[in-house]
Amino acid sequence: MKKILTLVFVSVLGGIITLSAYKLFLEKESIVAVETSAEQPFFVPTNYESSNAHLVAAEHPSFVNAAEKTVDAVVHVKNTALVSAPMTMQDLFFGRQQSKRAQVGTGSGVIISPDGYIITNNHVISGSESISITLNDNKIYDAELIGTDEKTDIALLKVDAENDLPFITFGDSDAAKIGEWVLAVGNPFNLTSTVTAGIISAKARDLTGRNSQSFIQTDAAVNPGNSGGALVNSNGELVGINTAISSQTGSYIGYSFAVPSNIARKVVEDIIEFGNVQNGILGVSLLNKNSKEAIENGLNEINGVYVAEVTEQSGAEKAGIKTGDIIKKVDNIEISKFSDLSGYLKTKRPDDIVNVEIIRDDEIKTLPVALSKTDILTVEFMKMELKNLSEERKLKNDISYGVEVVRNNNDWLSENLGVSSKYIITDINNIKIKNIEDISILKQKFGANAEQYIKKIGLINKDGEREQFLIR
């Protein structure tokens, strides 16, 4: 019994000692640790869910209003062309001529005025014998082709409707920002009134590598049949005409491209007013940043474009732009590559004034430049595109006169005389050709039938050899 009482007493005593030690030492330290903490408690607000919903709405704006504004103004375009049918064995046996058959192509178009003007792509209506358009309410109209421009791939149609038609207003494509939400509205795969959404991925894209294009790039889904349809911003304003896709399959898997609305608008206005497109040029040649010369001289890293040559008698020369200048801006539009410059200039006409900001000798200057007509650069003559000789080519060929062939579409000259690009024309009918002004004089003198009057032509071929040909 005594042993049991002893064990109980020792246990109780041990518990008292342990509790006292805890209260005296451990609990006191815990209180100090809490009091010296600088951290603030985190409270989740009661309206957390509604705040989050607001953020989601801001990131993904509603396109309902934009779609309602535009879907009725985008039409289905049907192009009927006559193509040659394949020859059959029966045709050959009986000596029948090759027959023609109808081929139908489809695309989209955008109504831009209540009286029925419609923009589409040139490739949508190319080669057409007849064109019809179908509205979103399934009304069908015959369309008249007003004019086209192959370089920008824009065509203008016109329909006569009994009532005013719904239309889309033009937006400012220069003001569109990378990352901005856009809608593509069109008729892919003959599915009418289709709307897809994406963002602007890039601007001033050139798909040819020849600096001849300046597309808006977007990741909005565009498929065959969308060509000629509308690219609109969240306000329902037209910022582009959907034109091409980047895909290994021919259907959408990546990016699509649209002609900027500022370019499309200028093209159709020119077609309506002048019957053709009026192009204004600056009159400079730029150094390719990827060229060997640019890389060796560190010009591939400049922020702007480097002027390699200035065209004689151009607006750029008259304004004082010089070789070696770096163009930074045109009318406050940032210029970092040639397609930025060419895309903006496609919205201008000859004699328009643009303010060109350049850097020369580490100084910034702004020069007003009156844009020139394209014929100061090249002239079309006898199905050839000709330009003035550069000083480099004159020195290389030891000649002070002549014009260079840029492009030759004259089959007879190419097949019989071998004339191609880089050839130099030195004289025609024993008349020395100093520059393209002399070609313009001959063009006015002979008119469209110049080939009938040209009897002798002097050339310098690609090897620098002089040749004289009599044309009979």
Side-chain angles (χ1 to χ4, degrees):
M1 186 67 179
K2 287 182 178 181
K3 290 182 179 180
I4 295 173
L5 291 172
T6 301
L7 288 172
V8 171
F9 176 77
V10 171
S11 298
V12 171
L13 182 62
I16 292 170
I17 293 170
T18 302
L19 180 61
S20 300
Y22 172 79
K23 297 293 286 184
L24 181 63
F25 299 106
L26 296 178
E27 188 174 34
K28 187 175 181 179
E29 288 181 5
S30 176
I31 293 171
V32 171
V34 171
E35 289 179 347
T36 58
S37 173
E39 292 183 359
Q40 298 295 322
F42 176 75
F43 298 99
V44 177
T46 56
N47 64 340
Y48 179 77
E49 288 186 3
S50 62
S51 296
N52 186 54
H54 177 72
L55 291 173
V56 171
E59 292 174 358
H60 302 281
S62 171
F63 289 114
V64 173
N65 290 335
E68 289 178 346
K69 284 182 180 179
T70 56
V71 72
D72 290 327
V74 176
V75 301
H76 184 264
V77 179
K78 185 170 77 172
N79 158 24
T80 303
L82 293 179
V83 297
S84 298
M87 293 287 286
T88 64
M89 292 298 295
Q90 291 84 353
D91 292 333
L92 294 172
F93 184 79
F94 291 106
R96 292 195 292 250
Q97 293 184 349
Q98 197 170 21
S99 59
K100 299 280 187 180
R101 62 180 176 84
Q103 178 175 287
V104 176
T106 60
S108 303
V110 183
I111 305 174
I112 57 170
S113 67
D115 56 347
Y117 280 104
I118 298 170
I119 292 183
T120 186
N121 285 140
N122 177 66
H123 75 260
V124 170
I125 52 81
S126 179
S128 62
E129 289 290 325
S130 63
I131 304 171
S132 66
I133 66 103
T134 305
L135 302 183
N136 197 30
D137 61 5
N138 293 320
K139 290 183 179 179
I140 300 175
Y141 296 93
D142 291 329
E144 176 188 1
L145 178 59
I146 303 300
T148 66
D149 180 49
E150 289 187 27
K151 291 183 179 179
T152 55
D153 199 10
I154 292 295
L156 182 65
L157 310 176
K158 177 74 166 62
V159 297
D160 293 322
E162 56 275 10
N163 299 310
D164 286 351
L165 297 176
F167 65 97
I168 301 178
T169 58
F170 281 97
D172 183 359
S173 55
D174 288 334
K177 303 295 184 183
I178 295 174
E180 180 179 340
W181 283 94
V182 285
L183 287 180
V185 188
N187 302 276
F189 306 116
N190 289 322
L191 300 172
T192 58
S193 309
T194 297
V195 178
T196 56
I199 63 167
I200 294 176
S201 306
K203 296 177 67 177
R205 282 289 196 223
D206 175 35
L207 304 182
T208 66
R210 299 192 299 268
N211 296 314
S212 59
Q213 298 171 330
S214 185
F215 286 127
I216 293 175
Q217 178 182 323
T218 173
D219 65 353
V222 171
N223 285 290
N226 270 112
S227 290
L231 187 72
V232 301
N233 60 22
S234 57
N235 294 322
E237 298 168 329
L238 187 67
V239 294
I241 300 296
N242 296 316
T243 299
I245 58 177
S246 177
S247 167
Q248 295 176 341
T249 65
S251 297
Y252 175 80
I253 59 169
Y255 298 110
S256 55
F257 302 89
V259 178
S261 61
N262 287 3
I263 293 177
R265 181 176 188 172
K266 188 259 182 183
V267 168
V268 298
E269 286 176 351
D270 281 358
I271 289 173
I272 292 172
E273 185 174 352
F274 304 104
N276 55 29
V277 178
Q278 307 288 300
N279 292 312
I281 62 169
L282 198 60
V284 297
S285 297
L286 304 179
L287 184 65
N288 186 339
K289 289 185 178 182
N290 297 320
S291 67
K292 182 180 178 181
E293 181 183 356
I295 294 172
E296 288 177 348
N297 292 280
L299 298 174
N300 58 318
E301 298 178 357
I302 62 172
N303 186 15
V305 292
Y306 182 86
V307 177
E309 187 178 351
V310 181
T311 304
E312 294 181 5
Q313 299 183 352
S314 67
E317 183 190 54
K318 293 174 182 177
I321 293 178
K322 298 179 180 179
T323 299
D325 289 344
I326 297 173
I327 298 176
K328 297 279 291 179
K329 293 181 181 179
V330 178
D331 288 345
N332 291 320
I333 301 295
E334 297 280 350
I335 305 296
S336 61
K337 54 186 181 296
F338 185 84
S339 55
D340 291 330
L341 179 61
S342 63
Y344 182 71
L345 293 180
K346 282 179 182 176
T347 67
K348 301 296 179 182
R349 299 182 177 90
D351 299 325
D352 282 353
I353 305 294
V354 295
N355 293 305
V356 181
E357 181 181 296
I358 63 168
I359 293 180
R360 181 189 301 161
D361 299 328
D362 295 327
E363 290 186 20
I364 297 178
K365 298 183 178 183
T366 300
L367 303 175
V369 180
L371 299 181
S372 306
K373 294 182 179 180
T374 55
D375 59 9
I376 71 161
L377 289 182
T378 61
V379 170
E380 294 282 344
F381 183 66
M382 292 176 61
K383 298 180 181 178
M384 294 184 291
E385 186 178 348
L386 308 171
K387 72 174 184 178
N388 286 328
L389 283 180
S390 65
E391 292 301 321
E392 181 182 355
R393 290 222 66 189
K394 288 179 181 179
L395 290 171
K396 181 179 179 180
N397 292 277
D398 191 24
I399 190 172
S400 60
Y401 60 94
V403 294
E404 181 178 331
V405 178
V406 178
R407 187 177 295 106
N408 179 26
N409 295 320
N410 189 314
D411 294 336
W412 191 92
L413 288 177
S414 60
E415 293 172 5
N416 293 280
L417 306 186
V419 177
S420 63
S421 62
K422 301 297 184 182
Y423 267 61
I424 296 174
I425 297 177
T426 57
D427 55 270
I428 295 176
N429 290 356
N430 293 323
I431 299 172
K432 183 184 290 186
I433 303 298
K434 298 185 290 296
N435 48 45
I436 58 175
E437 289 184 14
D438 291 339
I439 295 293
S440 297
I441 293 172
L442 289 177
K443 187 175 180 179
Q444 292 177 355
K445 179 179 179 181
F446 296 134
N449 300 316
E451 294 180 59
Q452 299 178 9
Y453 301 98
I454 305 303
K455 304 300 181 184
K456 186 178 180 181
I457 187 169
L459 302 168
I460 296 178
N461 63 26
K462 291 181 179 179
D463 297 325
E465 300 169 339
R466 288 179 177 266
E467 300 175 341
Q468 289 284 336
F469 294 97
L470 294 176
I471 302 175
R472 296 173 181 170

